[in-house]
């Protein structure tokens, strides 16, 4: 969507009382932010994010960044430049994709992040894990989108995710969408199946995929993030007898 198209879209939303959930960097319009209305803000783009990229349009206030407690940096972005991360002063969780290779921080910001116990999330054996170790912060593997399932007989669409929690546990989360009772409305719900603490020990992609319906096997076997996790997790663990 171009800048002009977004302006028109924003005006239309405003007229009908809607809320715009996407922002663009004023410096580089290819850098976009998605507001998930749960405290989560995702940023997408390519290359290094500069301090100026934290200034966006359209925005409701000068310090709009303070409204988020989780910042997710998506694949394609290679680093956070000086002053960028400091703009998001209230975050308690920073999710770094595997393409991120640098994050510039000043001593004051390092101290603040340790005081606030900021959680760093990402994949094993990436800069995210190294960054957490160097800054004295807790690291937790990022959640892994596994597959999407269309259950035609129930008119249901499920988004399936492998989630990791700070208490060391993991679960399979199902976010279910079904048509509502009126046109344009949707129902559904969500639920989770808890996994054993050591579910990944000795587990291959094939064995993991066998826990799901056969119709999902192709998606699961092609999931490279899942493959990287299982390989890395097993390389760190000695299987119990």
């Amino acid at each position: 969507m171009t800048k002009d198209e977004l302006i028109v879209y924003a005006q239309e939303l405003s007229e009908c009382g809607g809320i715009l959930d996407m922002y663009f960097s004023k410096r580089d319009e290819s850098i976009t932010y998605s507001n998930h209305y749960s405290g989560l803000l995702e940023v997408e783009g390519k290359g290094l994010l500069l301090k100026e990229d934290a200034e966006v349009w359209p925005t409701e206030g000068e310090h709009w960044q303070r409204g988020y407690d989780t910042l997710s940096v998506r694949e394609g972005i290679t680093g956070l430049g000086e002053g960028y991360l400091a703009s998001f002063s209230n975050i308690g969780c920073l999710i770094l994709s595997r393409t991120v290779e640098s994050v510039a921080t000043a001593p004051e910001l390092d101290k603040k992040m340790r005081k606030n116990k900021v959680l760093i999330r990402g994949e094993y054996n990436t800069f995210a894990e190294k960054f957490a170790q160097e800054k004295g912060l807790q690291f937790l593997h990022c959640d892994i989108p596994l597959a999407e399932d269309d259950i035609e007989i129930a008119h249901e669409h499920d988004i399936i995710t492998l989630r990791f929690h700070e208490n060391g546990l993991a679960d399979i989360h199902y976010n279910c969408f079904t048509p509502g009772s009126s046109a344009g409305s949707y129902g559904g719900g969500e639920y989770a199946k808890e996994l054993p603490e050591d579910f990944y020990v000795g587990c291959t992609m094939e064995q993991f995929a066998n826990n799901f319906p056969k119709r999902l096997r192709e998606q699961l076997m092609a999931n490279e993030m899942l493959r990287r996790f299982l390989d890395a997790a097993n390389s760190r663990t000695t299987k119990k007898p």
Side-chain angles (χ1 to χ4, degrees), residues 211-228:
N211 294 306
F212 297 85
K214 290 183 179 180
R215 61 180 178 273
L216 299 179
R217 185 174 182 83
E218 183 177 352
Q219 290 186 66
L220 291 166
M221 292 300 295
N223 192 316
E224 290 302 317
M225 183 182 287
L226 174 62
R227 187 181 301 277
R228 290 192 297 269

Side-chain angles (χ1 to χ4, degrees), residues 174-187:
Y174 294 80
N175 200 359
C176 312
F177 298 88
T178 58
S181 58
S182 60
S185 66
Y186 288 85

Side-chain angles (χ1 to χ4, degrees), residues 156-159 173-178 186-191:
E156 181 178 313
H157 179 78
D158 295 348
I159 298 175
H173 179 262
Y174 294 80
N175 200 359
C176 312
F177 298 88
T178 58
Y186 288 85
E190 57 182 304
Y191 64 96

